[in-house]
Amino acid sequence: MPEATAPDLTAVRTYLLDLQDRICAGLELEETGSARFATDAWTRAAGGGGRTRILTEGEVIEKGGVAFSHVFGDQLPPSASAHRPEIAGKPWQAMGVSLVIHPRNPYVPTSHANVRFFVADPDGENPVWWFGGGFDLTPYYGFTDDAVHWHRTARDAVAPFGDSYYPKLKEWCDDYFFLKHRQEPRGVGGLFFDDFNELGFDQSFAFMRSVGDHFLPAYQPILARRKATACGERERDWQLYRRGRYVEFNLVWDRGTLFGLQSGGRTESILMSLPPHVSWKYDYQPELGTPEADLLTTYLKPQDWLNFSITDEPEGTQIQTNP
């Protein structure tokens, strides 16, 4: 059994604020124009506050949000205590960094990452705490080398803690980021974990830090190599249509969104994940043999990306543009 160590909330908060700064700085390096992250510091009347950083109308990032929050309260909302009746009615604290990057170029995937810490009854003799988080990738056009790189980096993030974590957290991610009402995955997955305290505080905290630290190495190379790809109206229409699925998941299924709204969180920060432009088409089906159809038939299926050869790039993924 890991040694019992009291949770160090100050250390977690310090790490999360630094992570937010590092991610924003790394993403700004990919901007080709003058757009930079603006900072919005806020307080929550019921307790706590945060620092939301938003980049809008960039030449590379159409909208990106990287938010830090540290909120607390006297009584847990239903979404947090439904599966933990022993902590119902307890005081609580929650802190984390959550981000969503919506690129302008349709050939660059949308990315999401989140690392968080939660503790109930923090001043009691036996506080109940856990870490959670992960990162996932939502492409509009599928590229095997992007998916392979993303998943290899995800594996590297958790490999120091044991070989069993990557396959378990990959499967959890595939299951979680799934639109049940559409019966389709949101993207190509990555890592997802929650209620994580099995390694004791020090090592569980190290586990969370490793996941957070691997987001930029996973996403920045993909952003760099796709951001200048030629594209036209066809690709933009498809991107806006597929963004609709992203909105549906976040508003219907995402536990973080529900927790934030039910706990009286700051609506602007909670809903920063939504894209600036989106469209819905009634019962739209892409033409067979196109890259758009290939996204659905190849990439929006759970795959063993670690053993997926880059030479296996499906025929439909060649870039086709209608400027």
Side-chain angles (χ1 to χ4, degrees):
M1 293 291 292
E3 181 181 353
T5 303
D8 186 344
L9 276 68
T10 300
V12 177
R13 178 185 171 93
T14 299
Y15 167 76
L16 291 170
L17 285 167
D18 177 67
L19 177 67
Q20 183 191 37
D21 288 340
R22 287 187 284 119
I23 289 175
C24 290
L27 293 173
E28 285 179 344
L29 291 175
E30 298 303 327
E31 266 299 333
T32 55
S34 60
R36 295 294 181 267
F37 282 94
T39 299
D40 178 22
W42 53 273
T43 57
R44 176 176 174 267
R51 186 176 72 178
T52 300
R53 303 190 67 186
I54 294 286
L55 189 156
T56 57
E57 296 301 325
E59 293 184 7
V60 174
I61 297 172
E62 188 172 10
K63 179 185 176 185
V66 185
F68 164 81
S69 64
H70 180 187
V71 296
F72 45 86
D74 296 327
Q75 187 171 347
L76 285 163
S79 63
S81 57
H83 302 294
R84 294 268 192 147
E86 75 275 14
I87 61 174
K90 298 284 188 180
W92 57 275
Q93 294 195 40
M95 63 181 82
V97 166
S98 182
L99 68 91
V100 176
I101 306 302
H102 290 292
R104 185 173 296 279
N105 191 305
Y107 287 109
V108 184
T110 283
S111 65
H112 161 259
N114 173 266
V115 284
R116 58 191 179 273
F117 175 72
F118 178 88
V119 59
D121 200 16
D123 298 320
E125 292 186 5
N126 296 295
V128 177
W129 58 267
W130 62 80
F131 290 96
F135 48 71
D136 66 288
L137 194 70
T138 305
Y140 305 100
Y141 289 90
F143 294 93
T144 300
D145 49 352
D146 292 352
V148 170
H149 167 77
W150 182 260
H151 278 271
R152 285 177 179 171
T153 310
R155 174 203 58 197
D156 293 346
V158 296
F161 303 90
D163 293 339
S164 66
Y165 282 115
Y166 168 75
K168 181 168 62 176
L169 271 54
K170 176 192 181 297
E171 182 178 7
W172 200 347
C173 188
D174 288 339
D175 291 342
Y176 180 77
F177 291 104
F178 186 81
L179 287 80
K180 299 178 181 66
H181 62 290
R182 297 282 190 180
Q183 286 298 296
E184 68 180 45
R186 187 168 83 171
V188 298
L191 300 173
F192 182 85
F193 67 101
D194 205 359
D195 302 325
F196 189 86
N197 56 18
E198 63 193 59
L199 300 178
F201 177 78
D202 289 342
Q203 280 298 98
S204 296
F205 183 24
F207 187 96
M208 185 269 273
R209 293 199 308 269
S210 187
V211 172
D213 291 345
H214 277 78
F215 168 75
L216 270 181
Y219 186 59
Q220 195 169 359
I222 297 172
L223 180 60
R225 69 171 166 251
R226 304 289 178 204
K227 65 185 182 182
T229 305
C231 58
E233 184 177 348
R234 164 184 166 172
E235 289 85 357
R236 178 63 168 176
D237 287 347
W238 177 245
Q239 179 193 47
L240 296 183
Y241 171 71
R242 290 302 305 174
R243 279 179 176 176
R245 298 294 203 267
Y246 206 92
V247 171
E248 290 176 21
F249 180 87
N250 279 23
L251 295 183
V252 177
W253 300 108
D254 186 68
R255 286 169 53 184
T257 301
L258 297 176
F259 174 84
L261 295 175
Q262 291 178 3
S263 62
R266 184 171 184 264
T267 302
E268 286 300 311
S269 296
I270 296 165
L271 299 183
M272 73 166 191
S273 62
L274 301 182
H277 304 285
V278 64
S279 69
W280 279 267
K281 296 181 181 180
Y282 183 79
D283 197 27
Y284 175 65
Q285 301 295 328
E287 183 180 349
L288 292 177
T290 63
E292 293 81 7
D294 186 61
L295 176 78
L296 307 182
T297 59
T298 301
Y299 290 89
L300 296 190
K301 306 286 184 185
Q303 302 277 12
D304 180 10
W305 292 111
L306 293 185
N307 296 305
F308 203 98
S309 171
I310 293 177
T311 60
D312 293 336
E313 191 86 55
E315 183 178 348
T317 56
Q318 278 81 37
I319 297 172
Q320 300 180 16
T321 62
N322 291 326

